Amino acid sequence: MKYIIILGLCLVPFSHQSDKHGFKPDFYDIVEENSPECLKESNAKKEDLDDFLNEKVEANKEIKCYLKCVLEKMGIISADGVIDANELKAQLPDEYDQNKKDDVIQKCAKIQSENPCETAYLLAECCEDQMY
């Protein structure tokens, strides 16, 4: 559950309850609600996504674009790959203190690539780095 877990740990929507993985219930709702559309939009195959999440394969273009689609649905990244630092900060877990939120924003919100899908992937990696 590689980057979906990363997204869940770093980019969860508002809610007051967390499950055993640190995810907030609304995160699952957003991913589940948008997954079919994001799979179609990114041309990702569910099997490839499952293999990626189980760390059997590296992220390909389609997986990166799937991540971009999910982040876009959350309002964290625009269609052209611009990260919304305010939305990113707003969706960080309540458990993060202000200093941790500021650190994540400082290190991750400035990421930019020519390819919006690559930007989303790099953002997920950055958030993972900030978590551990």
Side-chain angles (χ1 to χ4, degrees), residues 31-45:
V31 172
E32 185 175 342
E33 178 182 321
N34 292 292
S35 190
E37 181 181 345
C38 289
L39 284 169
K40 184 177 178 179
E41 182 180 308
S42 66
N43 292 318
K45 293 180 177 75

Side-chain angles (χ1 to χ4, degrees), residues 39 44-54 57 63:
L39 284 169
K45 293 180 177 75
K46 185 171 182 339
E47 299 79 27
D48 292 342
L49 181 61
D50 290 342
D51 286 346
F52 170 71
L53 297 176
N54 289 312
V57 297
I63 299 297

Side-chain angles (χ1 to χ4, degrees), residues 19-123:
D19 73 6
K20 64 182 178 176
H21 299 293
F23 295 112
K24 295 180 181 180
D26 289 348
F27 172 77
Y28 290 114
D29 294 341
I30 290 172
V31 172
E32 185 175 342
E33 178 182 321
N34 292 292
S35 190
E37 181 181 345
C38 289
L39 284 169
K40 184 177 178 179
E41 182 180 308
S42 66
N43 292 318
K45 293 180 177 75
K46 185 171 182 339
E47 299 79 27
D48 292 342
L49 181 61
D50 290 342
D51 286 346
F52 170 71
L53 297 176
N54 289 312
E55 300 185 27
K56 294 180 181 178
V57 297
E58 293 295 315
N60 58 25
K61 174 187 162 202
E62 291 80 11
I63 299 297
K64 291 176 182 182
C65 288
Y66 174 86
L67 288 170
K68 182 219 158 240
C69 180
V70 171
L71 291 174
E72 188 177 349
K73 300 295 184 193
M74 296 174 81
I76 292 170
I77 194 169
S78 69
D80 58 353
V82 177
I83 298 167
D84 183 332
N86 292 328
E87 190 62 32
L88 174 60
K89 188 173 185 176
Q91 294 202 33
L92 290 171
D94 294 334
E95 292 81 22
Y96 283 15
D97 64 25
Q98 192 61 43
N99 289 335
K100 179 66 172 177
K101 288 182 180 185
D102 290 342
D103 193 41
V104 171
I105 296 305
Q106 180 184 13
K107 292 179 179 164
C108 300
K110 296 175 186 168
I111 291 172
Q112 188 66 48
S113 172
E114 290 182 21
N115 182 311
C117 298
E118 186 69 21
T119 299
Y121 179 75
L122 294 172
L123 174 61

